[in-house]
């Protein structure tokens, strides 16, 4: 409702097997591991991206430790029950309905509300710096001698600034607003 703050963690609650959550990839201690409720950040991130384009007020958001492949840099929102939340405020005069649908491997999030003008939003990021990944080798007794197995392919680290551009119906820029700085670590190739 107008003026209310939506909390992702409060809405979903703890991610447990009893509630139907399955194991999937999650960042833990700098590595991707299988964890109950892993992948839940794809939903919070897609919701965050929708909130940016709807020009709603972001109350709390943290980026992932590493980049994600399903959204542009600076458009993700990591969550972890009890520690890291994604929250936004309905700063409009009308109620908002959140619709999230999973069809096959595709997630769609729609925000339904009342549009009171003809303006539109564009969201862009600017790369401030990059950190290349390094390649390391570790011996593993479970791998046959003379064989190499890639555990992690490696990812470049980034620092990006995200901006909101508000345009009128004639494509004239009304306002450019800094949204957030997102630092992503480099993940070494192992």
């Amino acid at each position: 409702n107008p003026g209310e703050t939506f909390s992702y963690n409060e809405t979903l609650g703890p991610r447990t097997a009893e509630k139907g959550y399955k194991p999937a990839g999650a960042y833990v201690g700098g590595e991707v591991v299988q964890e109950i409720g892993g992948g839940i950040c794809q939903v919070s991130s897609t919701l965050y991206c929708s909130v940016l384009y709807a020009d709603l007020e972001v109350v709390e958001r943290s980026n992932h430790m590493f980049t994600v492949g399903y959204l542009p840099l600076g458009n993700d929102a990591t969550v972890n029950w009890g520690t890291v939340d994604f929250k936004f405020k309905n700063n409009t005069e009308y109620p908002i309905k959140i619709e999230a649908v999973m069809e096959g491997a595709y997630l769609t999030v729609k925000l339904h509300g009342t549009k009171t003008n003809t303006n539109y939003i564009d969201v862009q990021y600017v790369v401030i710096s990059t950190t290349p990944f390094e390649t390391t080798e570790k011996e593993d007794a479970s791998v046959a001698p003379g064989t190499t197995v890639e555990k992690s392919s490696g990812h470049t680290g980034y620092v990006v600034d995200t901006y909101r551009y508000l345009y009128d119906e004639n494509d004239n820029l009304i306002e450019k607003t800094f949204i957030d700085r997102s630092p992503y670590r480099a993940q070494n190739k192992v």
Side-chain angles (χ1 to χ4, degrees), residues 127-168:
V127 175
I128 303 303
S129 66
T130 60
T131 305
F133 64 85
E134 297 177 4
T135 301
T136 61
E137 291 188 8
K138 295 181 181 179
E139 292 209 18
D140 185 336
S142 67
V143 177
T147 305
T148 301
V149 175
E150 189 175 281
K151 181 178 178 185
S152 170
S153 60
H155 298 282
T156 301
Y158 294 92
V159 175
V160 301
D161 285 347
T162 306
Y163 292 91
R164 177 197 72 147
Y165 296 85
L166 176 65
Y167 293 94
D168 68 18

CSV table of all heavy atoms in Angstrom, one decimal, residues 127-168:
chain,number,residue,atom,x,y,z
A,127,VAL,N,31.2,1.4,-15.6
A,127,VAL,CA,32.3,0.7,-15.0
A,127,VAL,C,33.4,1.7,-14.5
A,127,VAL,O,33.9,2.5,-15.2
A,127,VAL,CB,33.0,-0.3,-16.0
A,127,VAL,CG1,34.1,-1.0,-15.3
A,127,VAL,CG2,31.9,-1.3,-16.4
A,128,ILE,N,33.6,1.6,-13.2
A,128,ILE,CA,34.6,2.5,-12.5
A,128,ILE,C,36.0,1.8,-12.6
A,128,ILE,O,37.0,2.5,-12.8
A,128,ILE,CB,34.2,2.8,-11.1
A,128,ILE,CG1,32.8,3.4,-11.0
A,128,ILE,CG2,35.2,3.7,-10.4
A,128,ILE,CD1,32.7,4.7,-11.8
A,129,SER,N,36.0,0.5,-12.3
A,129,SER,CA,37.3,-0.2,-12.4
A,129,SER,C,37.0,-1.7,-12.6
A,129,SER,O,35.9,-2.2,-12.4
A,129,SER,CB,38.1,0.0,-11.1
A,129,SER,OG,37.4,-0.6,-10.0
A,130,THR,N,38.1,-2.4,-13.1
A,130,THR,CA,38.0,-3.8,-13.2
A,130,THR,C,39.2,-4.5,-12.5
A,130,THR,O,40.2,-3.9,-12.4
A,130,THR,CB,38.0,-4.3,-14.7
A,130,THR,OG1,39.2,-3.8,-15.3
A,130,THR,CG2,36.8,-3.7,-15.5
A,131,THR,N,39.0,-5.7,-12.1
A,131,THR,CA,40.1,-6.5,-11.5
A,131,THR,C,40.1,-7.8,-12.2
A,131,THR,O,39.1,-8.6,-12.1
A,131,THR,CB,39.8,-6.7,-10.0
A,131,THR,OG1,39.6,-5.5,-9.3
A,131,THR,CG2,40.9,-7.5,-9.3
A,132,PRO,N,41.2,-8.1,-12.9
A,132,PRO,CA,41.2,-9.4,-13.6
A,132,PRO,C,41.3,-10.6,-12.6
A,132,PRO,O,41.9,-10.4,-11.5
A,132,PRO,CB,42.4,-9.3,-14.5
A,132,PRO,CG,43.3,-8.3,-13.9
A,132,PRO,CD,42.4,-7.3,-13.1
A,133,PHE,N,40.8,-11.7,-13.0
A,133,PHE,CA,40.9,-12.9,-12.2
A,133,PHE,C,42.3,-13.5,-12.4
A,133,PHE,O,42.9,-13.3,-13.5
A,133,PHE,CB,39.8,-13.9,-12.4
A,133,PHE,CG,39.8,-14.5,-13.8
A,133,PHE,CD1,40.5,-15.6,-14.1
A,133,PHE,CD2,38.9,-14.0,-14.8
A,133,PHE,CE1,40.5,-16.2,-15.4
A,133,PHE,CE2,38.9,-14.5,-16.0
A,133,PHE,CZ,39.6,-15.6,-16.3
A,134,GLU,N,42.8,-14.3,-11.4
A,134,GLU,CA,44.0,-15.0,-11.6
A,134,GLU,C,43.7,-16.5,-11.7
A,134,GLU,O,42.6,-17.0,-11.4
A,134,GLU,CB,44.9,-14.8,-10.3
A,134,GLU,CG,45.3,-13.4,-10.1
A,134,GLU,CD,46.1,-13.1,-8.9
A,134,GLU,OE1,46.4,-14.1,-8.2
A,134,GLU,OE2,46.4,-12.0,-8.6
A,135,THR,N,44.7,-17.3,-12.2
A,135,THR,CA,44.5,-18.7,-12.4
A,135,THR,C,45.4,-19.4,-11.3
A,135,THR,O,46.6,-19.1,-11.2
A,135,THR,CB,44.9,-19.2,-13.8
A,135,THR,OG1,44.1,-18.5,-14.7
A,135,THR,CG2,44.7,-20.7,-13.9
A,136,THR,N,44.8,-20.3,-10.5
A,136,THR,CA,45.5,-21.0,-9.5
A,136,THR,C,45.3,-22.5,-9.8
A,136,THR,O,44.3,-22.9,-10.3
A,136,THR,CB,45.0,-20.7,-8.1
A,136,THR,OG1,43.7,-21.0,-8.0
A,136,THR,CG2,45.2,-19.2,-7.8
A,137,GLU,N,46.2,-23.3,-9.3
A,137,GLU,CA,46.1,-24.8,-9.5
A,137,GLU,C,46.2,-25.4,-8.1
A,137,GLU,O,47.0,-24.9,-7.3
A,137,GLU,CB,47.2,-25.3,-10.4
A,137,GLU,CG,47.0,-24.9,-11.8
A,137,GLU,CD,48.0,-25.7,-12.7
A,137,GLU,OE1,48.7,-26.6,-12.3
A,137,GLU,OE2,48.0,-25.3,-13.9
A,138,LYS,N,45.3,-26.3,-7.8
A,138,LYS,CA,45.4,-27.0,-6.5
A,138,LYS,C,45.4,-28.5,-6.8
A,138,LYS,O,44.6,-29.0,-7.7
A,138,LYS,CB,44.1,-26.7,-5.7
A,138,LYS,CG,44.0,-25.3,-5.3
A,138,LYS,CD,42.8,-25.0,-4.4
A,138,LYS,CE,42.7,-23.6,-4.0
A,138,LYS,NZ,41.5,-23.3,-3.2
A,139,GLU,N,46.2,-29.3,-6.1
A,139,GLU,CA,46.1,-30.7,-6.2
A,139,GLU,C,44.9,-31.3,-5.5
A,139,GLU,O,44.5,-30.8,-4.5
A,139,GLU,CB,47.4,-31.3,-5.6
A,139,GLU,CG,48.6,-30.9,-6.5
A,139,GLU,CD,49.7,-32.0,-6.4
A,139,GLU,OE1,49.4,-33.1,-6.0
A,139,GLU,OE2,50.8,-31.7,-6.7
A,140,ASP,N,44.3,-32.3,-6.1
A,140,ASP,CA,43.1,-32.9,-5.6
A,140,ASP,C,43.3,-34.4,-5.8
A,140,ASP,O,43.4,-34.9,-6.9
A,140,ASP,CB,41.9,-32.4,-6.4
A,140,ASP,CG,40.6,-32.9,-5.8
A,140,ASP,OD1,40.6,-34.0,-5.1
A,140,ASP,OD2,39.6,-32.2,-6.0
A,141,ALA,N,43.3,-35.1,-4.7
A,141,ALA,CA,43.5,-36.6,-4.7
A,141,ALA,C,42.4,-37.3,-5.4
A,141,ALA,O,42.6,-38.5,-5.9
A,141,ALA,CB,43.6,-37.1,-3.3
A,142,SER,N,41.2,-36.7,-5.6
A,142,SER,CA,40.1,-37.4,-6.3
A,142,SER,C,40.2,-37.3,-7.8
A,142,SER,O,39.5,-37.9,-8.5
A,142,SER,CB,38.8,-36.8,-5.8
A,142,SER,OG,38.7,-35.5,-6.3
A,143,VAL,N,41.2,-36.5,-8.3
A,143,VAL,CA,41.4,-36.4,-9.7
A,143,VAL,C,42.6,-37.2,-10.2
A,143,VAL,O,43.6,-37.2,-9.5
A,143,VAL,CB,41.7,-34.9,-10.1
A,143,VAL,CG1,42.0,-34.7,-11.6
A,143,VAL,CG2,40.5,-34.0,-9.7
A,144,ALA,N,42.4,-38.0,-11.3
A,144,ALA,CA,43.4,-38.9,-11.8
A,144,ALA,C,44.7,-38.1,-12.1
A,144,ALA,O,44.7,-37.0,-12.6
A,144,ALA,CB,42.9,-39.6,-13.0
A,145,PRO,N,45.9,-38.7,-11.8
A,145,PRO,CA,47.2,-38.1,-12.1
A,145,PRO,C,47.2,-37.7,-13.6
A,145,PRO,O,46.8,-38.5,-14.5
A,145,PRO,CB,48.2,-39.1,-11.8
A,145,PRO,CG,47.5,-40.0,-10.8
A,145,PRO,CD,46.1,-40.0,-11.1
A,146,GLY,N,47.8,-36.5,-13.9
A,146,GLY,CA,47.9,-36.1,-15.3
A,146,GLY,C,46.6,-35.5,-15.9
A,146,GLY,O,46.6,-35.1,-17.0
A,147,THR,N,45.6,-35.4,-15.0
A,147,THR,CA,44.3,-34.9,-15.5
A,147,THR,C,44.1,-33.5,-14.8
A,147,THR,O,44.4,-33.3,-13.7
A,147,THR,CB,43.1,-35.8,-15.1
A,147,THR,OG1,43.4,-37.1,-15.6
A,147,THR,CG2,41.8,-35.3,-15.6
A,148,THR,N,43.5,-32.6,-15.6
A,148,THR,CA,43.1,-31.3,-15.1
A,148,THR,C,41.6,-31.1,-15.1
A,148,THR,O,41.0,-31.4,-16.1
A,148,THR,CB,43.8,-30.2,-15.9
A,148,THR,OG1,45.2,-30.4,-15.9
A,148,THR,CG2,43.5,-28.8,-15.3
A,149,VAL,N,41.1,-30.7,-14.0
A,149,VAL,CA,39.6,-30.4,-13.9
A,149,VAL,C,39.4,-29.0,-13.5
A,149,VAL,O,40.1,-28.5,-12.6
A,149,VAL,CB,39.0,-31.3,-12.9
A,149,VAL,CG1,37.5,-31.0,-12.7
A,149,VAL,CG2,39.1,-32.8,-13.2
A,150,GLU,N,38.6,-28.3,-14.2
A,150,GLU,CA,38.3,-26.9,-13.9
A,150,GLU,C,37.2,-26.8,-12.9
A,150,GLU,O,36.0,-27.2,-13.1
A,150,GLU,CB,37.9,-26.1,-15.2
A,150,GLU,CG,37.8,-24.6,-15.0
A,150,GLU,CD,37.5,-23.9,-16.3
A,150,GLU,OE1,38.4,-23.7,-17.1
A,150,GLU,OE2,36.3,-23.5,-16.4
A,151,LYS,N,37.5,-26.3,-11.7
A,151,LYS,CA,36.5,-26.2,-10.6
A,151,LYS,C,35.8,-24.9,-10.7
A,151,LYS,O,34.6,-24.8,-10.5
A,151,LYS,CB,37.2,-26.2,-9.2
A,151,LYS,CG,36.3,-26.1,-8.1
A,151,LYS,CD,37.0,-26.3,-6.7
A,151,LYS,CE,36.0,-26.1,-5.6
A,151,LYS,NZ,36.7,-26.1,-4.3
A,152,SER,N,36.5,-23.8,-11.1
A,152,SER,CA,35.9,-22.5,-11.3
A,152,SER,C,36.5,-21.8,-12.5
A,152,SER,O,37.7,-21.8,-12.6
A,152,SER,CB,36.1,-21.6,-10.0
A,152,SER,OG,35.8,-20.3,-10.3
A,153,SER,N,35.7,-21.3,-13.4
A,153,SER,CA,36.2,-20.7,-14.6
A,153,SER,C,36.8,-19.3,-14.4
A,153,SER,O,37.4,-18.8,-15.3
A,153,SER,CB,35.0,-20.6,-15.7
A,153,SER,OG,34.0,-19.9,-15.2
A,154,GLY,N,36.5,-18.7,-13.3
A,154,GLY,CA,37.1,-17.3,-13.1
A,154,GLY,C,36.2,-16.3,-13.6
A,154,GLY,O,35.5,-16.4,-14.7
A,155,HIS,N,36.1,-15.2,-12.9
A,155,HIS,CA,35.3,-14.0,-13.2
A,155,HIS,C,36.0,-12.7,-12.9
A,155,HIS,O,36.6,-12.6,-11.8
A,155,HIS,CB,33.9,-14.0,-12.5
A,155,HIS,CG,33.1,-15.2,-12.9
A,155,HIS,ND1,32.4,-15.3,-14.1
A,155,HIS,CD2,32.8,-16.4,-12.2
A,155,HIS,CE1,31.7,-16.5,-14.1
A,155,HIS,NE2,32.0,-17.1,-13.0
A,156,THR,N,35.9,-11.8,-13.8
A,156,THR,CA,36.5,-10.5,-13.6
A,156,THR,C,35.8,-9.8,-12.5
A,156,THR,O,34.5,-9.9,-12.4
A,156,THR,CB,36.5,-9.6,-14.9
A,156,THR,OG1,37.2,-10.4,-15.9
A,156,THR,CG2,37.1,-8.3,-14.7
A,157,GLY,N,36.5,-9.0,-11.7
A,157,GLY,CA,35.8,-8.2,-10.7
A,157,GLY,C,35.6,-6.8,-11.2
A,157,GLY,O,36.3,-6.3,-12.1
A,158,TYR,N,34.5,-6.1,-10.7
A,158,TYR,CA,34.1,-4.8,-11.2
A,158,TYR,C,33.7,-3.9,-10.0
A,158,TYR,O,33.3,-4.4,-9.0
A,158,TYR,CB,32.9,-4.9,-12.1
A,158,TYR,CG,33.1,-5.6,-13.4
A,158,TYR,CD1,32.9,-7.0,-13.5
A,158,TYR,CD2,33.6,-4.9,-14.5
A,158,TYR,CE1,33.1,-7.7,-14.7
A,158,TYR,CE2,33.8,-5.6,-15.7
A,158,TYR,CZ,33.5,-7.0,-15.8
A,158,TYR,OH,33.7,-7.6,-17.0
A,159,VAL,N,33.9,-2.6,-10.2
A,159,VAL,CA,33.2,-1.6,-9.4
A,159,VAL,C,32.4,-0.8,-10.4
A,159,VAL,O,32.9,-0.3,-11.4
A,159,VAL,CB,34.2,-0.7,-8.7
A,159,VAL,CG1,33.4,0.4,-7.9
A,159,VAL,CG2,35.0,-1.5,-7.7
A,160,VAL,N,31.1,-0.8,-10.2
A,160,VAL,CA,30.2,0.0,-11.1
A,160,VAL,C,29.3,0.9,-10.4
A,160,VAL,O,28.9,0.7,-9.2
A,160,VAL,CB,29.3,-1.0,-12.0
A,160,VAL,CG1,30.2,-1.9,-12.8
A,160,VAL,CG2,28.3,-1.8,-11.1
A,161,ASP,N,29.0,2.0,-11.0
A,161,ASP,CA,28.0,3.0,-10.5
A,161,ASP,C,26.8,2.9,-11.4
A,161,ASP,O,26.9,2.8,-12.6
A,161,ASP,CB,28.6,4.4,-10.6
A,161,ASP,CG,29.6,4.7,-9.5
A,161,ASP,OD1,29.7,3.9,-8.5
A,161,ASP,OD2,30.2,5.8,-9.6
A,162,THR,N,25.6,2.8,-10.7
A,162,THR,CA,24.4,2.7,-11.4
A,162,THR,C,23.6,4.0,-11.4
A,162,THR,O,23.5,4.6,-10.3
A,162,THR,CB,23.5,1.5,-10.8
A,162,THR,OG1,24.3,0.3,-10.8
A,162,THR,CG2,22.3,1.3,-11.6
A,163,TYR,N,23.0,4.4,-12.5
A,163,TYR,CA,22.3,5.6,-12.6
A,163,TYR,C,20.9,5.4,-13.2
A,163,TYR,O,20.7,4.5,-14.0
A,163,TYR,CB,23.0,6.6,-13.6
A,163,TYR,CG,24.3,7.1,-13.0
A,163,TYR,CD1,25.5,6.4,-13.3
A,163,TYR,CD2,24.4,8.2,-12.2
A,163,TYR,CE1,26.7,6.8,-12.8
A,163,TYR,CE2,25.6,8.7,-11.7
A,163,TYR,CZ,26.8,8.0,-12.0
A,163,TYR,OH,28.0,8.4,-11.5
A,164,ARG,N,20.0,6.2,-12.7
A,164,ARG,CA,18.6,6.3,-13.2
A,164,ARG,C,18.5,7.5,-14.1
A,164,ARG,O,18.8,8.6,-13.7
A,164,ARG,CB,17.6,6.3,-12.0
A,164,ARG,CG,16.2,6.4,-12.5
A,164,ARG,CD,15.3,6.9,-11.4
A,164,ARG,NE,15.6,8.3,-11.1
A,164,ARG,CZ,14.7,9.2,-10.7
A,164,ARG,NH1,13.5,8.9,-10.5
A,164,ARG,NH2,15.1,10.5,-10.6
A,165,TYR,N,17.9,7.3,-15.3
A,165,TYR,CA,17.7,8.4,-16.2
A,165,TYR,C,16.2,8.5,-16.3
A,165,TYR,O,15.5,7.6,-16.7
A,165,TYR,CB,18.3,8.2,-17.6
A,165,TYR,CG,19.8,8.1,-17.5
A,165,TYR,CD1,20.5,6.9,-17.2
A,165,TYR,CD2,20.6,9.2,-17.8
A,165,TYR,CE1,21.8,6.9,-17.1
A,165,TYR,CE2,22.0,9.2,-17.7
A,165,TYR,CZ,22.6,8.0,-17.4
A,165,TYR,OH,24.0,8.0,-17.4
A,166,LEU,N,15.6,9.7,-16.0
A,166,LEU,CA,14.2,9.9,-16.1
A,166,LEU,C,13.9,10.8,-17.4
A,166,LEU,O,14.5,11.9,-17.5
A,166,LEU,CB,13.7,10.7,-14.9
A,166,LEU,CG,12.2,11.1,-14.9
A,166,LEU,CD1,11.3,9.9,-14.9
A,166,LEU,CD2,11.9,12.0,-13.7
A,167,TYR,N,13.1,10.3,-18.3
A,167,TYR,CA,12.8,10.9,-19.6
A,167,TYR,C,11.3,11.3,-19.7
A,167,TYR,O,10.5,10.5,-19.1
A,167,TYR,CB,13.1,10.0,-20.8
A,167,TYR,CG,14.6,9.7,-20.9
A,167,TYR,CD1,15.2,8.6,-20.4
A,167,TYR,CD2,15.4,10.6,-21.7
A,167,TYR,CE1,16.5,8.3,-20.5
A,167,TYR,CE2,16.8,10.3,-21.8
A,167,TYR,CZ,17.3,9.2,-21.3
A,167,TYR,OH,18.7,8.9,-21.4
A,168,ASP,N,11.0,12.3,-20.4
A,168,ASP,CA,9.6,12.6,-20.7
A,168,ASP,C,9.2,11.8,-21.9
A,168,ASP,O,10.0,11.1,-22.5
A,168,ASP,CB,9.3,14.1,-20.8
A,168,ASP,CG,10.0,14.8,-22.1
A,168,ASP,OD1,10.4,14.0,-23.0
A,168,ASP,OD2,10.1,16.0,-22.1
